[in-house]
Amino acid sequence: MQAANQAHITVLFMKRTLKNSFGQTYLTITYDEKNKLIHNYWQGMLSVENVKQGATEVLELMKITNCANLLNDNREITGSWNQANDWIETEWMPRALNLGLKQFAHVVSQGVFGALSAQEMHRRVGDRFQMRLFNDINDAKAWLKGNP
């Protein structure tokens, strides 16, 4: 019984931080058990490799937590990540769907290039899972909470 409780506590407070080759954080992934979501907080200029590595880590956390709701927070992104959309569509989406992805709330960056990248991803999602774009993180969280 003690071991089971310890495992639960580990999942409850799970957080991962990824850094680029310059030692700067580009992604913080947090499991929010209370709200039943994984919060992905992306920052800075992202390379395709950063997106792939970060998105793969998100899949790992989905697997560990059995969480099907993602809050993708791009408010602090600078520049485009559009060049990663092919990989997201062909590699990441099928794996996320296999892990039970149901809802994807995406808070767009203020910059035009990041917003265009999010719109392109939204177009590629189609009807595979529920994805909505938001300008406000609280609206995104409310949508995820209101759609169990």
Side-chain angles (χ1 to χ4, degrees):
M1 184 72 169
Q2 180 81 14
N5 287 339
Q6 287 175 344
H8 178 71
I9 290 169
T10 301
V11 171
L12 179 63
F13 296 107
M14 187 158 293
K15 181 176 181 177
R16 294 184 182 176
T17 302
L18 283 72
K19 297 181 183 289
N20 62 22
S21 58
F22 302 107
Q24 299 168 325
T25 298
Y26 69 88
L27 176 61
T28 303
I29 309 166
T30 308
Y31 175 58
D32 179 347
E33 185 175 51
K34 178 182 171 211
N35 293 305
K36 308 257 187 282
L37 63 87
I38 295 173
H39 183 178
N40 309 312
Y41 177 59
W42 297 87
Q43 300 171 260
M45 182 76 75
L46 300 175
S47 69
V48 172
E49 220 28 66
N50 292 152
V51 173
K52 288 180 178 181
Q53 182 181 16
T56 300
E57 288 291 324
V58 171
L59 293 172
E60 289 301 314
L61 195 53
M62 286 177 70
K63 188 184 309 181
I64 292 168
T65 62
N66 199 29
C67 184
N69 299 315
L70 300 182
L71 173 60
N72 211 51
D73 184 353
N74 280 18
R75 292 175 296 167
E76 300 297 324
I77 294 281
T78 55
S80 171
W81 45 272
N82 203 42
Q83 61 278 21
N85 272 327
D86 284 340
W87 179 85
I88 291 169
E89 179 181 18
T90 61
E91 299 292 327
W92 185 85
M93 281 186 205
R95 292 171 63 193
L97 287 167
N98 283 339
L99 291 170
L101 177 62
K102 299 228 184 305
Q103 298 181 124
F104 191 95
H106 187 98
V107 184
V108 298
S109 66
Q110 299 299 316
V112 66
F113 295 113
L116 289 172
S117 298
Q119 290 170 2
E120 174 62 16
M121 180 184 168
H122 188 250
R123 183 190 67 75
R124 291 173 184 237
V125 165
D127 62 358
R128 295 184 222 190
F129 54 88
Q130 292 183 53
M131 179 180 178
R132 290 221 17 219
L133 303 178
F134 296 89
N135 291 314
D136 181 86
I137 193 159
N138 292 322
D139 292 343
K141 286 179 181 179
W143 178 74
L144 286 172
K145 285 171 84 172
N147 291 302

